[in-house]
Structures are given as C-alpha cells and as structure tokens.
Amino acid sequence: MPQDKSPSVQTSLHGEILCIHVNNPPVNALSLDVRVGLLNSIQNAQTNDSVRAVVIVGEGGCFIAGADIREFGSPPSAPSLPEVCDALESSTKLVVAALHGATLGGGLEIAMSAHYRVATREARFGLPEVTLGLLPGSGGTQRAPRLMGVVAAAEVILSGRQMTAGEALRAGLIDEIAEGANQQSVGITYAKRLLNSDTPIRRTRDIEVADKAAAATKLATLELQTSKQARGLFSPRKIIECLRAAVEMPFDQGLRRERELFLECMDSPQRKGLVHAFFSEREVLKVPEARAGSNRIVNRISVIGGGTMGAGISVAALNAGLHVTMLERDEESAKRGRENVEQVYDRLVNKERMTAAAKAEIMCRFGTTTHYADLAGVDMVIEAVFENMDVKTDVFKKLDLVCPPGTILATNTSYLDINNIAAVTSRPQDVIGLHFFSPAHIMKLLEIVVADKTSPQVVAAAFSMAKRLKKVPVRAGVCDGFIGNRILYVYREAANFMLEDGASPYEIDAALEEFGYAMGPYRTADLTGGDIGWATRKRKALTRDPKARYVEVADRLCERGWFGQKTQRGWYLYPNGSRSGWTDPEVLAIIDSERTRKGIVPRKFKPEEIVRRYMVAMVNEGAKVLQEGIALRPLDIDVAFVHGYGFPRYRGGPMKWADMQGLGGVLDDLRAYAREDAEFWKPADLLVQLVARGHDFGSLNRL
C-alpha cells in the first residue's frame, strides 16, 4: 500500500480495517497538510483489496476541533474540505468516524461524511461557525438536518453550542456510545461488528429529511425568531436559507447553495469583526508580566463585602473550585451575604440546572466571618466594599496587619486610584485591581488594573486566576475609570449632548439598538441604577472644568428619586415592576425645560448621526487611553467593550469599527464636531498621527 506523504496523517492496517490517524497537535485542526493526508489515505484505501473498512481517529485529546486558525484570511488551497468530505462519503469501503473529545466545525463535517459514527462518552460536538460570522460550508447544513432533523440541526448550528455524547445519540447525530477510553479500539471494534453483520454503506447524502412539510413550517417559525434575536447578524439568516435548501432541494443542489451562502458570509464585514474578536480574546492574555511567571498559588480567597458584587465574586470563585471566606462588618451582614450567595444556587436548583446535593457540596467550601484575623490563611483577598476611598483604605490597612507577606491584596474598585490604596500598606507590590462587572458570576470581563508598584508575579497570578474563573482578562493602567468606565463616561456625555440638543433618550436608544447593542445607554442606565452614575457625577463635581459643558437632565431625574427599574421609574416607566420600559412624557417635559433654561433650540438627529457621534466619541477617548498607556493595545479596548459594555461582537470592538470605517473619516468628523465644542471633540494626538502616517489602530496590536 502506498505510504501517505502527510506528516499530520498516518495510517495503520489492522487486518481488514485501515485506521487513518489525524495527528496535528494540539487540536488536530484541518490544515492543508491534514486535508491532503485524509484525501490520499481514503483514495489509497479504495485501491487496496485487503481493506474492507476505514476508521478515522484523532490522536491526542480530541477528534478534530475545526479549521486551522493559522489559515484564516489566506487564499484557499486544494484540496478543499468539501472535496475531502465528498471523498469520504463516496468511499466504496465502509467508513467509520471514531470520535472522542471535541469534534467541532469542520471536524464534525468530516464525521457526518463518514458512513457511521461511534463516540466515547466524554465526546462533545458542535458547529460553531456562526460565532465567526460564517456557516458550516462543507456540507454541515445539508447533512445535519438529514441526521438530526431540521429543528435539532438548526438549534446546534444557530447557537454554536456543544452537544454531549448523550444529546448527540438521542438526536441521531451519532450511532453509538462505546465504553472505553481508546478511540482506536472503539472504532475498530465497532467497524468489525458492522462488517460481521454485513451492514451496508449508508451515505448521509442519501438520507431524506424527515417530514419535509412539517420541517418547512418549522423553518418559517425559526426564520421569524432568528430575525428578532440575531440583531442585525448576517450569518444566522443565511443558515436558515441553507436549512431550507436541505428540505427543498436535492443534496448536490443544496450543497451548491450552501457554498454560495458561505462565500457571501466570507465577504461580510461582520466576519472581519467576529474574526478580530476571536483572535483578540487570545491576544489579551499576552501581557509583558506573563513572561515573569508566578509562584503565587491561589486556592483560598477571601471576599470583603457580601453585597451584590461581593456575592457574585464569591460565586465565581466557588464555581472555580476555590474555598471562599466572606468577611462582613457584623453577624447580620454576614448572614445576608451568605443568603445572597445561596440565592444564586437556589435559582439554579429551582430551574433544575443544579441538584441540591451539588449546591450543598459547593457551599461546604464557603464560610463567613466578622474577624479580620480569620483571613490570615488565605492566598488572595478581594475587597468589594462601598466605592469610597476612605472605606477602602481602612480595609487595606487592616489587611496589611493580618495577611502574611505574599498574600495578594485586590480591590474591586471601578474608578478609584489604586496607587493611593496600595500606599496605605507596607507591600504595595502585592496590591492589584480586579475590576469585576456585575453580575460578577456571569459577566466575562475582568479588568486587571496594574498599579505603579504591582509586581509582575502578582499580575501573572491575576491572569491565571482570571483563567480559573473563566473570565476574559484585560490589562489596564491606573486612571479614573481605567479603560472601560473612563471611555464610557465620554461617550455617555456625547449621548447627553445630543439629548439636550434635540434627540430624545428613546431615539438614541433605538438608534444604538439598531446598530447592534442589546440595550441603548438610557435603558442600560435604568437597569444598572441611575443613583450609581449620580454618585460618580457628584464625586467628580469638585474637579470638573467649570467651562466644560454639563448636561443636568439625569440629575433632575435622580433628584426625584427616579433611579430606574428598582424604583419603577427612570428614563422609562416600569409599571408594576415591569422590565420592559415605557416612554415617559414627564421625562420629555423635563428635557424640554432644561433646553429652555439654557436657551437651546432643539434640532433633529438622524439615527445614523446619533450612532456616528456616539462612536466617534468612544474611539477618540480610546485613542487617548492608548496614548497614555492605560491600555496596551487597541484590541484590549475592543475586548473590554465586547465583553463588558454590550458592544456588538460582530463589529469587532470600537477600535476595529474605526479601522473598518477609515480613520481619516473619523478624524474629519471630530474636526467638524469640534466647531461646536472644541474641548470635548478635540482629536487625540495618536489619532492625528496615525492618519498622517496612513496607519490604522490594527498596526498597534502587536506588543
């Protein structure tokens, strides 16, 4: 038998069964070398009379976990994945895919092209292309509904989620779950059984979609749901079209339609944004301090404060397997803190997403105390008390007395100067900011704020901790608001200026929700609580430039006690505790009164102008954050806003958005807006320099 020339694919003969071994660490990605090896191997098997069956296995920890990300953006090279899938499915020898670990994307398309599929119990399956603005383009949208039915296939492809082996078996995606850890033995045993029982070759392409009339009706319903939920996303609508082709067209025609729609997705700007987000989430982990490594092992932590934020941080740590001690000022507060933690798990138990036994096991790792001395044995302390410098420095003075050297002392402050907090301790090198976002056990973003004297080892330990907590960490420097909240303050000001100049809060929200935000800025303010922003504005009042424009409408609402959903009234009305706000004529009257008081003649703003001003303000402040070194790279800002501030992922982030718009146009807009307010709209020096050099923000993304 000819030897295959691919170093990533080898073969071994076991009697009448040829094993094709995919060995491309770490995840057996479908590189050109793998595709060549698979095609050569299956073609060679066709001409070998001693081979009756072929078993495809993945070496290492998984079968095949998808495309090779190193080939993203490169011109396609033959053989294409559809060619490989067709060769497998067309084989005259029985083809079995023996699956373990992750079988994702193109890997699952390979598996669906096999005649039979057997999996180990820990295997998992998914088609995550939608998360990159794409769709399965190698027959996935045509084969999945033939194996699983339209509804199950649509759910998997539209969500991008991973199925367990049990789910896959029930859906019909796989044929059997085999006990045993060795995928090669599992595959050979299964193939022998098929041969011994004279099981015929079964090509997925030849399976009819079940009950086509019902499937078409279900697709019509799915199309309506998808258009509402996708919020402007391009690929989900194309996925529905592909599934409809699977129902209405012969396989080859459906395959051609899938390829046409796949190429449309490839050409979409959304794909560029989603691919940028994908790579950026990996790049943010690369920080200078990571090279230092860390011997700071964190297994036991303490959380100071048992309110909403402290409880959320505690849950995130408990979910990561850590032991947590919550410190509160008195027994009553400690009891409330414990109840806040338990409520999170009780909701999961009530929804049958967790058993009572699992909750009890987790709570065994949680304790409360009112004594600082009880924190002497923890590896890290995370302070989550009221956002007040005096309160926080008092906490750190006490921690400095009881925690041994080497204990990491972290503050969850959203705005305050961490250098000042660190200065009250005798070991500022151990102090760092860990800015969680509420709810802390759900929100992915974690700003890791590095103070002037924070040691590289502590920074490295914080990034390791973020990984354990399943957070997306972004390194930030010290300034008021760090990366996210500092930029937030500026673009919210831009929204307030438009509000005072003639746009209603409802028009602004609608424009930005159409842009891709789940919630506009005023609806978001009602959700988080207007009193939070009010406290920040009052804190900044003494240092605010008296010549700077200041819009007081939000203060007028807060003075009336209208703080949003929690008071059933804010920018919107929330009658009877409703979460879907109604527009409020009294709010519009207050806005009109403020305009009259300031002599402002209101004008109309088109939705595209609202979006443009909002975004240009965001980008300009982002450029200032970069030039001051608060953020390492533009991609750090992008990741922060995608994961912490609801920025539409398919647009990549604010800095990527600016690059795709063209920085010259952004700068032109800033200069035009500066004729209204020279100080607020002053272009960042970095932005001016990039335009002059013909560069974009992407040119700054490498350290």
Side-chain angles (χ1 to χ4, degrees), residues 342-486:
E342 291 216 50
Q343 282 173 6
V344 174
Y345 292 114
D346 286 339
R347 283 194 290 269
L348 295 176
V349 172
N350 292 337
K351 293 178 181 178
E352 297 184 348
R353 292 168 57 189
M354 173 180 281
T355 64
K359 175 205 163 184
E361 184 179 343
I362 288 173
M363 293 304 295
C364 285
R365 289 185 276 105
F366 179 76
T368 60
T369 184
T370 59
H371 304 291
Y372 275 85
D374 292 337
L375 310 186
V378 302
D379 308 306
M380 173 185 280
V381 180
I382 304 174
E383 164 272 309
V385 300
F386 186 67
E387 190 77 349
N388 176 278
M389 182 61 81
D390 291 339
V391 174
K392 289 183 183 290
T393 53
D394 182 62
V395 167
F396 274 78
K397 287 175 184 176
K398 292 173 180 174
L399 292 174
D400 193 40
L401 295 174
V402 301
C403 294
T407 305
I408 298 171
L409 307 180
T411 174
N412 179 57
T413 181
S414 304
Y415 289 95
L416 301 179
D417 190 327
I418 297 174
N419 288 315
N420 291 343
I421 294 172
V424 304
T425 74
S426 62
R427 37 20 209 292
Q429 70 277 6
D430 290 335
V431 178
I432 194 166
L434 294 180
H435 178 208
F436 290 82
F437 287 70
S438 186
H441 59 292
I442 294 174
M443 293 291 286
K444 290 292 186 183
L445 180 62
L446 178 62
E447 277 187 311
I448 296 179
V449 188
V450 181
D452 292 347
K453 295 183 179 179
T454 306
S455 77
Q457 291 75 23
V458 168
V459 178
F463 271 83
S464 295
M465 175 64 127
K467 183 177 180 180
R468 287 188 70 178
L469 298 179
K470 297 182 179 178
K471 299 296 183 186
V472 179
V474 171
R475 186 194 187 282
V478 176
C479 69
D480 195 303
F482 317 128
I483 295 174
N485 283 344
R486 169 173 164 174

Side-chain angles (χ1 to χ4, degrees), residues 199-251:
T199 304
I201 287 172
R202 181 195 61 189
R203 295 185 175 93
T204 306
R205 63 185 296 148
D206 296 333
I207 300 172
E208 289 289 324
V209 174
D211 196 347
K212 291 188 177 183
T217 301
K218 289 172 181 174
L219 277 175
T221 302
L222 273 172
E223 187 169 28
L224 287 173
Q225 293 173 347
T226 300
S227 63
K228 291 177 182 177
Q229 296 168 359
R231 292 192 174 278
L233 271 171
F234 185 77
S235 61
R237 299 195 297 274
K238 300 303 175 183
I239 288 167
I240 295 291
E241 287 189 51
C242 287
L243 294 170
R244 183 174 289 111
V247 174
E248 298 175 353
M249 297 177 181
F251 181 82

Side-chain angles (χ1 to χ4, degrees), residues 27 47 74 125 158 167 248 299 318 335 349 374 382 414 443 451 477 483 560 593 665 679 693:
V27 294
T47 61
S74 302
F125 310 89
L158 288 169
E167 287 178 292
E248 298 175 353
N299 288 315
L318 290 167
K335 180 183 176 184
V349 172
D374 292 337
I382 304 174
S414 304
M443 293 291 286
I483 295 174
R560 289 166 168 79
S593 175
E679 187 59 33
R693 296 199 300 262

Side-chain angles (χ1 to χ4, degrees), residues 85-91 93-97 99 107-117 127 138-149 153 171-175 200-210 212 246-247 249-252 255 258:
C85 290
D86 180 64
L88 291 170
E89 192 170 51
S90 301
S91 169
K93 309 294 175 75
L94 191 75
V95 179
V96 171
L99 311 171
L108 185 51
E109 290 181 294
I110 288 281
M112 289 190 291
S113 302
H115 304 143
Y116 295 91
R117 287 155 292 283
L127 292 165
S138 301
T141 66
Q142 303 305 295
R143 292 187 176 97
R146 284 171 163 81
L147 291 169
M148 295 192 288
L173 181 62
I174 62 174
D175 300 296
I201 287 172
R202 181 195 61 189
R203 295 185 175 93
T204 306
R205 63 185 296 148
D206 296 333
I207 300 172
E208 289 289 324
V209 174
K212 291 188 177 183
V247 174
M249 297 177 181
F251 181 82
D252 287 334
L255 210 59
E258 177 193 79

